[in-house]
Amino acid sequence: MESLKGFKRTTYCGTPRPGDIGRDVAVCGWVQRRRDLGQLIFIDLRDRTGILQLAFDDSTDREIFKKAFTVRSEFVLAARGKLRERSSKNKDLPTGEVELEVTELRVLAESETPPFEIVDNSDVNDMLRLKYRYLDLRRPEMQRAIAVRHKVVKTARDYFDESGFYEIETPMLTKSTPEGARDYLVPSRVHPGKFYALPQSPQQYKQMLMLAGFDKYFQIARCFRDEDLRADRQPEFTQIDLEMSFVETDDVIAVNEGFLKTVFKNVLNIDIDTPILRVPYAEAMERYGSDKPDLRFGLELKNVSDLVQNCGFKVFSDPVAAGGSVRLISVPGGAEAFPRKQIDALVEFVKTYGAKGLAWMRLGADGVSSSFAKFMTEEENEKIIARAGAKTGDLILIVADGRDKTVFTALGALRIECARRLGLIRKDDYKLLWVTEFPMFEYSEEEGRYVAVHHPFTAPMDEDIDKLETDKQNCRAKAYDIVLNGIELGGGSIRISTPEMQETVFRALGFTSEEAQERFGYFINAFKYGAPPHGGLAYGLDRLVMLLVGADSIRDVIAFPKVQNASEPMTSSPDAVDKKQLDELKIGLTRDTLTT
């Protein structure tokens, strides 16, 4: 193989344009493909910016021509020559009007045949892609995604710096405070039997920075949560994290709307409208069945509990009597778009979200058909149609349950599924909103107590302070989430800033004074020394980039992601370690652990 000695790259492959014709340039990259036409050889050379065609013909030095003949896909080349006009232009390629007439060619590295072709939209098994991630990352769409990620991070650093924020790093080895997702634990060699935890977020540290008087903080923060994976979750992920002093909700939202406006302009050249719509949590659930609603389409929920509470159809009346509700969505054009077989499939769909079933009414051109009409009076059926705002050609879908949460969950998911099947969801349409006034607490069946919806450092709404210990289910928090196209981009809140209020919230969460002091004593004590009113927000960087590039999973915007079982196929981690390492840490493994 040849070296780069004496060779200096002067341009990237994706940059030459017709105005550069006649220039002498030197490029480096990987071979996308080689085309041998006998007296002509063309090589598409690829780097992170794009593809440039290299041309070899009768005028080419014979040794260079012979070398070009030996080249194969993914060989690494350096080439020098003069840019000329292409005789056969490629309008789909930014560099498609020019080519490089090669006068010097160096083969820097050869390549075996890759296990898959390095092209966009390749139908390749995900596990194979991740096993050979270094090859997968060569694909142009992956290169673009990582480039956008870089641009978002740079935009964040520039914007928050210009807005008076300090970038401050917080520790990666912290104290375990099990409240919410599981911690990743790190054993201490120096302190046998004791463990650090990797941070789930820099929450407590950034609040301490506000107590320390830094006023405005931000960080591109690495976070870790030992929880089950989904398309938009990873065990290790990145946050754009920020905190501000002497602020209320409006102040935090204003700064972040400025940031989002800058990101969309810098990355997509899109001007988003501000102020961004704000919707209280209760309204979001009533209208969309979700605390992260997708506003790219309608299909809003309608409550018909009052219309059916005394009807003769117990599937409707019994849930209302039990304190639940009966709600519907009206699907425009659904009578034709969803034949009976597809409606049956939707019935099974809502069951996966806890619903017992799905009632329906089709307003066809030949009349109304329904799964429940015969159990209701004509007047009751007409009132349902009127409440739904349905017309001929529409489909009404109804979920009833003794728990509102089940109705919201099932109908919220059904709303999105119907929009997907009807083709109403566009990736190039961006709808932002703030969801505000979240519940302070939610009851956990698993733990048998109320837990914090966001985290235990969130301040209650001023008018709900007296509900902290007496009416937890109706206590609201000064919390806000920023939502884009049905996905939570980030969440934040105004924080508790007095030790008395923090102790009250811990008590409401079921912690004794001793338990609160053991877990958070240093935190509570710090607030005794003058804490400013403060609040902040953290974005999921991976989710933000995923939406900006139109990817289906955050794995497509992370260089080296984990898979469903939190392993990394490329390096085969996690893996066993030497017994010597375990001995140094004073850790022993059970026989069951060693055989699994």
Side-chain angles (χ1 to χ4, degrees):
M1 295 301 98
E2 297 168 276
S3 77
L4 270 177
K5 186 176 181 180
F7 187 100
K8 184 173 179 60
R9 178 171 61 182
T10 62
T11 190
Y12 282 93
C13 292
T15 58
R17 296 294 186 270
D20 298 312
I21 288 173
R23 282 182 54 209
D24 290 317
V25 300
V27 293
C28 299
W30 286 260
V31 175
Q32 181 70 29
R33 64 171 179 159
R34 179 183 64 86
R35 301 186 303 284
D36 183 1
L37 305 181
Q39 298 303 310
L40 294 172
I41 295 176
F42 295 108
I43 293 174
D44 288 344
L45 195 67
R46 182 194 70 244
D47 64 17
R48 71 182 194 183
T49 65
I51 289 175
L52 177 65
Q53 178 169 284
L54 310 185
F56 306 83
D57 53 32
D58 289 338
S59 64
T60 304
D61 179 279
R62 291 306 300 172
E63 290 304 313
I64 295 176
F65 193 87
K66 287 167 59 179
K67 190 185 295 184
F69 182 79
T70 67
V71 164
R72 297 293 181 267
S73 293
E74 300 311 310
F75 275 33
V76 183
L77 306 182
R80 193 194 316 272
K82 188 182 295 290
L83 291 169
R84 69 186 186 189
E85 184 178 1
R86 282 180 64 160
S87 58
S88 177
K89 296 178 176 55
N90 183 348
K91 293 182 179 180
D92 295 328
L93 204 63
T95 61
E97 296 183 60
V98 299
E99 64 186 13
L100 185 67
E101 183 182 1
V102 179
T103 57
E104 180 183 358
L105 179 67
R106 301 189 190 187
V107 177
L108 304 178
E110 295 182 353
S111 172
E112 296 182 2
T113 301
F116 51 85
E117 192 177 1
I118 312 299
V119 294
D120 287 344
N121 304 314
S122 59
D123 185 18
V124 180
N125 178 278
D126 281 350
M127 288 298 291
L128 186 64
R129 285 178 54 199
L130 292 171
K131 181 178 180 180
Y132 295 95
R133 186 61 165 181
Y134 45 88
L135 295 179
D136 188 45
L137 285 169
R138 292 182 189 175
R139 295 189 302 116
E141 63 184 347
M142 292 301 303
Q143 296 264 318
R144 286 191 293 270
I146 299 303
V148 168
R149 186 185 180 99
H150 159 77
K151 197 163 189 176
V152 171
V153 170
K154 184 180 186 304
T155 297
R157 285 198 159 101
D158 291 346
Y159 174 83
F160 289 115
D161 173 64
E162 291 166 6
S163 301
F165 286 74
Y166 287 169
E167 182 172 7
I168 306 174
E169 292 181 345
T170 54
M172 297 291 281
L173 297 175
T174 69
K175 179 182 175 66
S176 178
T177 54
E179 178 71 17
R182 299 182 188 91
D183 287 328
Y184 274 104
L185 300 178
V186 180
S188 170
R189 179 183 60 81
V190 180
H191 303 279
K194 295 186 177 181
F195 296 80
Y196 298 104
L198 298 179
Q200 295 188 29
S201 86
Q203 184 62 45
Q204 295 173 51
Y205 286 106
K206 69 178 181 177
Q207 288 191 246
M208 292 290 194
L209 289 170
M210 296 304 100
L211 272 68
F214 285 105
D215 194 68
K216 292 180 179 180
Y217 139 96
F218 87 99
Q219 181 182 188
I220 309 300
R222 296 290 288 166
C223 303
F224 306 84
R225 293 179 188 172
D226 189 4
E227 58 186 356
D228 295 334
L229 273 66
R230 296 199 303 253
D232 59 347
R233 279 188 181 172
Q234 284 278 300
E236 55 178 316
F237 56 97
T238 307
Q239 289 183 175
I240 303 175
D241 197 58
L242 63 111
E243 198 79 4
M244 307 165 63
S245 290
F246 306 107
V247 293
E248 263 294 348
T249 298
D250 288 349
D251 304 300
V252 179
I253 285 180
V255 165
N256 283 282
E257 287 186 353
F259 169 64
L260 290 168
K261 196 173 185 70
T262 305
V263 166
F264 273 83
K265 186 64 177 177
N266 286 359
V267 176
L268 298 179
N269 197 27
I270 290 175
D271 292 304
I272 63 169
D273 294 329
T274 53
I276 294 169
L277 174 69
R278 298 189 200 183
V279 177
Y281 169 88
E283 181 183 340
M285 297 303 292
E286 287 283 336
R287 292 174 61 186
Y288 306 104
S290 171
D291 60 2
K292 41 184 179 293
D294 193 333
L295 303 187
R296 289 175 292 180
F297 52 90
L299 307 183
E300 293 189 20
L301 280 59
K302 302 287 178 62
N303 191 344
V304 293
S305 301
D306 59 316
L307 303 181
V308 300
Q309 59 184 344
N310 297 315
C311 74
F313 188 38
K314 289 186 175 296
V315 171
F316 289 168
S317 58
D318 283 358
V320 178
S325 62
V326 181
R327 300 172 193 265
L328 62 80
I329 59 172
S330 178
V331 184
E336 296 298 325
F338 295 99
R340 180 59 189 272
K341 187 175 181 180
Q342 287 198 29
I343 293 175
D344 290 342
L346 294 177
V347 174
E348 296 306 311
F349 176 84
V350 297
K351 287 181 180 179
T352 64
Y353 290 89
K356 296 179 179 66
L358 179 69
W360 54 269
M361 181 181 285
R362 294 179 66 191
L363 281 63
D366 55 349
V368 177
S369 58
S370 169
S371 64
F372 60 85
K374 65 182 180 182
F375 301 106
M376 312 271 287
T377 68
E378 185 175 345
E379 181 182 6
E380 288 168 339
N381 286 322
E382 288 176 352
K383 285 183 177 180
I384 289 174
I385 293 172
R387 178 70 58 83
K391 60 185 184 302
T392 300
D394 294 349
L395 173 67
I396 297 172
L397 301 172
I398 306 175
V399 172
D401 197 89
R403 298 177 67 222
D404 274 347
K405 183 177 181 181
T406 300
V407 177
F408 287 141
T409 301
L411 265 185
L414 181 63
R415 173 180 176 266
I416 294 171
E417 179 65 11
C418 288
R420 185 188 67 79
R421 294 190 184 199
L422 291 171
L424 301 179
I425 300 175
R426 287 174 41 202
K427 285 187 177 182
D428 61 349
D429 187 16
Y430 300 96
K431 299 294 185 185
L432 286 153
L433 82 153
W434 291 101
V435 178
T436 61
E437 300 179 22
F438 275 81
M440 186 84 175
F441 309 105
E442 63 182 349
Y443 190 78
S444 168
E445 298 287 350
E446 182 181 343
E447 297 194 32
R449 66 178 179 90
Y450 280 92
V451 297
V453 170
H454 277 70
H455 53 64
F457 316 115
T458 299
M461 298 282 288
D462 294 340
E463 56 268 39
D464 289 354
I465 288 175
D466 60 348
K467 298 177 182 178
L468 279 170
E469 296 185 86
T470 60
D471 190 13
K472 294 187 183 72
Q473 64 181 3
N474 292 313
C475 185
R476 294 167 300 159
K478 291 182 179 179
Y480 36 81
D481 282 1
I482 183 67
V483 177
L484 174 60
N485 294 354
I487 294 177
E488 176 199 334
L489 281 187
S493 66
I494 299 301
R495 322 302 187 188
I496 295 167
S497 58
T498 67
E500 295 80 14
M501 179 62 72
Q502 188 64 74
E503 287 171 345
T504 301
V505 169
F506 282 143
R507 198 161 52 245
L509 290 168
F511 294 143
T512 65
S513 297
E514 292 75 18
E515 288 172 333
Q517 193 65 35
E518 180 183 350
R519 292 188 184 187
F520 305 104
Y522 61 93
F523 194 69
I524 298 171
N525 293 339
F527 282 78
K528 297 176 181 178
Y529 296 95
H534 59 287
L537 183 141
Y539 294 94
L541 172 64
D542 313 299
R543 292 183 186 180
L544 175 57
V545 177
M546 176 185 75
L547 290 167
L548 291 175
V549 303
D552 294 321
S553 166
I554 61 172
R555 291 196 311 206
D556 292 330
V557 299
I558 297 172
F560 300 102
K562 304 291 189 292
V563 293
Q564 191 69 30
N565 64 1
S567 66
E568 186 199 307
M570 188 182 73
T571 62
S572 299
S573 65
D575 201 354
V577 298
D578 292 340
K579 185 176 183 301
K580 179 182 178 182
Q581 292 174 274
L582 295 176
D583 290 343
E584 288 179 339
L585 294 168
K586 305 296 190 290
I587 290 178
L589 300 178
T590 64
R591 182 172 299 174
D592 288 345
T593 304
L594 291 169
T595 57
T596 57

